[in-house]
Each structure stands twice: as C-alpha cells, then as structure tokens.
C-alpha cells in the first residue's frame, strides 16, 4: 500500500477556507464532513488533518503530519519556542501562498508620545506572540515587560493592564476602534506551505512536489486575466500600452467593421477598474475580462 501523505490544515478560521479552496483548485477531490478530524482525498493518497492553527507547527515539527499550511506568524513563534528545546530546524518552508496577509505590529494608545522603539523602555506590552516580541525588543536593545494574552489583546491598554500591544493587524479597524496607533511592524505574515524534516517515501515526496507545482500554476493563473475587446485600428498601440504586462496580443478582424479589430490578450498583473476606464476612453469597446483557471508553461 502506498503510504499516504498527511497534511495539517486549520479547521475553522481565517486560514481554513483559503487552504481548502487552494487544494481544490489544485485538483484534489475531498469532502469535509462537519466535525471530522481527518479527511481522505479521493483521487490521491493524501489525508487532510483539520486542527487549530496553533497545533500545526508541532504536528509538523514532530513528524505526526508531513506538511501543513500555516500563517508565518504562528510558525515563527513556534519555531522560536521549539529552538529553546531543539536547536536544529524542524521544518522546511516550501512555498509562500500569497493569502491571509497580515502584519504583527506594536501599537500604542493614541495619546502616548512615541519617538521610536526606545519609547517602549520599561513599558508593559500585551501580546499573543511573546517570543517574536522579545526577539524584536532584544534586537532594538529595549527592555520591556511582556503580558501574555491568548486573545483580546487590543483591550489591554484600556483596562490598565498594559501600556502597548503587539498584535496582528490587517485592515487596522480593530486598532482604530480601541484608540490605538500602530508604530512598528515586527513581521509581514502570510500563509505558507511547510513540510517536516523527517524522511518521507519517494512517492510522498513526489506528491508534495506535485502539489507545490500545481499551487504555483494556480497562483500564476490567479494573477492573470484574459481580456477581449474591440478596438479602433488607429488606437490599438496606445490601448495595448495601457494594459499591464500584456504578452503578444492576438488580433483578429471584426466582421462588418474594417476600421476595428478584435483583441485577445493575457494580462500578467490583474486588471483594475481605472485601466479599463482608460482603454474605454481610448476607444476600446465590448470589453470582456475572464478569469484564467490554469496556466502551464
Ligand atoms: O481556532 P484557531 O486557533 O485555529 O484560530 P485563531 O483564532 O487562532 O486564528 P484566526 O483564524 O483568527 O487566524 C488565523 C491566521 O490568520 C492568523 O494566524 C494569521 O496568520 C492570519 N490573519 C490574517 C489574522 C488576521 N489577518 C487578523 N486580522 N489573524 C488574526 N487577525 C485578528 C487580529 O488578531 C486582530 O484581533 O484580527 C484583528 C485585527 O484585524 P483588523 O482587520 O481589524 O486589523
Ligand atoms: Zn490559533
């Protein structure tokens, strides 16, 4: 029997849906039953283990799962913790996944005067990432106290429990609601595919390589768009110059209109509304933007 490749994914939360959709786009067929911990992929010898994100690093570091998808914030905190026990590295990063972006930031109350990291000297900082924070403060030669909280870090200053916080920020709304201002970025985080350092069979390695290749193809395709439009022949050059990363457009005659052509192009960098409005103002019409499912080059 072929040994199955076991991957750890977040069960519920911000990483969960993106991880599942990514694997589905890579052609893995599976059905996640309500509360099931383990799901068999039907068309590959792969098992998916659904757990809390905080458990994923340990499962991979200890070889209980062969790989997993995890935010680099949780991964790097767990790596610092593991380094206290095992000096050797316990995982390899395979691929950043370009989703679940956020920043680990230090934020202070709106009224506090802040003139750089030295202003944090002697202060108490609430965080769920004590080791990443300690690492940052050491590098900045700042000595501060850490208050470890699992959640609701942003309310700590208002409750008089801390002078500042170190927490994840994406839109910035939570900070604003709690009258806090972000002052330092400790880490730019995104989801990442990792594997353990334990040995796996040749077939399992091939599966992991296939998955990484397919993820890259999906990422490549997601960034690109297929664009079709009608254009006056005399404005064709200026229109194509406005399209980001356009590769060799296909130009076809437009039946019934000798002054116009049909243009089909693949844009490499996505297409924004203002670009479409610009090409429309240059004479493009019947503009169609289509998502690309896969690109193999
Ligand atoms: O149950 P489990 O332990 O698996 O889930 P969880 O509650 O620990 O994690 P979850 O699902 O909230 O987040 C999983 C991962 O998503 C994190 O580890 C990050 O890698 C990533 N991520 C991306 C975020 C955010 N954006 C984010 N904004 N994780 C948390 N937040 C929180 C932040 O802590 C703060 O409370 O959202 C709030 C700030 O958001 P804004 O938009 O107001 O700035
Ligand atoms: Zn968690």
């Amino acid at each position: 029997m072929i040994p199955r490749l076991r991957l750890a994914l977040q069960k519920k939360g911000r990483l969960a849906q993106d991880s599942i959709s990514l694997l589905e786009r890579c052609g893995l067929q599976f059905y996640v039953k309500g509360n099931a911990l383990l799901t068999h992929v039907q068309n590959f010898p792969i098992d998916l283990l659904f757990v809390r994100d905080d458990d994923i690093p340990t499962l991979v570091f200890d070889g209980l799962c062969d790989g997993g998808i995890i935010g680099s914030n949780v991964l790097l905190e767990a790596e610092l913790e593991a380094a206290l026990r095992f000096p050797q590295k316990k995982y390899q990063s395979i691929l950043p996944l370009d989703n679940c972006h956020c920043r680990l930031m230090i934020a202070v109350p709106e009224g506090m005067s802040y003139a750089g990291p030295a202003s944090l000297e002697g202060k108490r900082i609430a965080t769920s990432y004590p080791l990443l924070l300690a690492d940052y403060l050491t590098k900045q030669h700042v000595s501060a106290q850490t208050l470890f909280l699992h959640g609701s870090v942003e309310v700590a200053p208002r409750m008089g429990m801390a002078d500042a916080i170190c927490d994840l920020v994406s839109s910035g709304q939570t900070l604003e609601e709690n009258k806090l201002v972000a002052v330092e970025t400790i880490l730019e985080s995104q989801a990442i595919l990792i594997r353990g350092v334990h040995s796996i069979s040749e077939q399992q390695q091939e599966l992991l390589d296939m998955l990484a290749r397919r993820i890259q193809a999906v990422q490549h395709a997601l960034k690109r768009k297929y664009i079709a439009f009608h254009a006056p022949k005399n404005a064709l050059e200026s229109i194509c110059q406005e399209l980001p990363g356009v590769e060799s457009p296909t130009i076809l005659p437009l039946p019934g209109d000798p002054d116009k052509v049909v243009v089909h192009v693949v844009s490499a960098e996505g297409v924004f509304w203002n670009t479409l409005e610009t090409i429309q103002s240059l004479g493009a019409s019947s503009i169609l933007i289509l998502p690309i499912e896969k690109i193999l080059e």
Side-chain angles (χ1 to χ4, degrees), residues 10 13-14 52-54 73 102 167-168 170-174:
Q10 190 193 29
R14 289 181 166 86
R52 286 198 58 182
D53 67 344
D54 314 73
N73 50 312
C102 58
D167 197 12
L168 300 174
S170 44
S171 70
Q173 190 179 336
T174 306

Side-chain angles (χ1 to χ4, degrees), residues 15 19 69-72 95-101 189-193:
L15 283 164
S19 308
I69 293 181
I70 183 68
S72 48
L95 204 62
L97 300 179
D98 198 19
N99 61 42
C100 249
H101 288 273
S189 177
Q190 61 175 297
I192 168 169
L193 175 67

Side-chain angles (χ1 to χ4, degrees), residues 240-253:
C240 285
Q241 272 170 8
E242 293 298 326
L243 292 168
V246 157
E247 296 150 16
S248 45
T250 306
I251 298 166
L252 306 162

Side-chain angles (χ1 to χ4, degrees), residues 3-287:
R4 298 178 73 87
L5 183 77
R6 183 176 282 189
L7 300 179
L9 305 178
Q10 190 193 29
K11 184 173 178 54
K12 210 170 140 203
R14 289 181 166 86
L15 283 164
Q17 195 46 52
D18 281 347
S19 308
I20 289 175
S21 320
L22 184 64
L23 296 184
E24 285 175 341
R25 281 204 193 100
C26 289
L28 272 57
Q29 292 167 3
F30 54 93
Y31 174 69
V32 188
K33 276 193 221 126
N35 263 337
L37 182 67
L38 193 75
T39 293
H40 290 306
V41 173
Q42 290 151 20
N43 54 342
F44 289 103
I46 299 177
D47 288 340
L48 306 175
L49 191 71
F50 290 96
V51 291
R52 286 198 58 182
D53 67 344
D54 314 73
D55 293 332
I56 294 174
T58 313
L59 288 169
V60 175
F61 295 178
D62 291 352
L64 299 167
C65 288
D66 305 307
I69 293 181
I70 183 68
S72 48
N73 50 312
V74 172
L75 176 68
L76 296 177
E77 179 75 15
E79 183 181 20
L80 288 173
E81 198 190 328
L84 302 172
R85 288 175 289 134
F86 322 102
Q88 73 278 29
K89 212 164 167 78
K90 302 289 281 179
Y91 74 94
Q92 294 170 22
S93 23
I94 302 180
L95 204 62
L97 300 179
D98 198 19
N99 61 42
C100 249
H101 288 273
C102 58
R103 292 177 189 184
L104 183 61
M105 303 188 87
I106 295 182
V108 299
E110 271 171 11
M112 177 176 152
S113 76
Y114 185 84
S119 302
L120 299 167
E121 184 69 33
K123 299 276 195 270
R124 188 196 295 234
I125 308 173
T127 189
S128 308
Y129 298 88
L131 298 176
L132 283 169
L133 173 63
D135 188 55
Y136 171 81
L137 293 172
T138 305
K139 285 180 184 148
Q140 298 296 324
H141 310 289
V142 170
S143 159
Q145 284 178 54
T146 301
L147 171 69
F148 176 75
L149 293 175
H150 270 294
S152 305
V153 170
E154 64 280 357
V155 299
R158 230 181 333 131
M159 306 282 288
M161 291 156 65
D163 304 298
I165 68 162
C166 167
D167 197 12
L168 300 174
V169 179
S170 44
S171 70
Q173 190 179 336
T174 306
L175 292 186
E176 217 178 288
E177 284 166 2
N178 289 281
K179 302 202 177 329
L180 296 165
V181 187
V183 288
E184 304 292 343
T185 299
I186 292 190
L187 178 75
E188 299 270 357
S189 177
Q190 61 175 297
I192 168 169
L193 175 67
I194 58 166
R195 63 153 287 183
V197 288
H198 56 281
S199 62
I200 56 177
S201 72
E202 212 173 296
Q203 293 98 326
Q204 287 171 315
Q205 185 60 51
E206 275 166 19
L207 277 174
L208 211 45
D209 293 343
M210 176 207 74
L211 199 57
R213 274 197 311 275
R214 289 190 180 190
I215 290 173
Q216 277 172 316
V218 168
Q219 288 176 333
H220 200 43
L222 279 179
K223 281 198 192 121
R224 296 179 176 204
K225 293 281 178 267
Y226 196 89
I227 311 170
F229 55 89
H230 297 173
K233 280 181 183 165
N234 58 11
L236 190 58
E237 207 180 315
S238 49
I239 289 174
C240 285
Q241 272 170 8
E242 293 298 326
L243 292 168
V246 157
E247 296 150 16
S248 45
T250 306
I251 298 166
L252 306 162
L254 179 63
D257 192 341
D259 296 331
K260 285 193 176 176
V261 283
V262 181
V263 186
H264 286 205
V265 289
V266 171
S267 162
E269 297 155 30
V271 196
F272 298 101
W273 276 107
N274 51 0
T275 307
L276 299 180
E277 284 155 1
T278 306
I279 66 165
Q280 195 178 32
S281 70
L282 290 169
S285 57
S286 304
I287 306 167

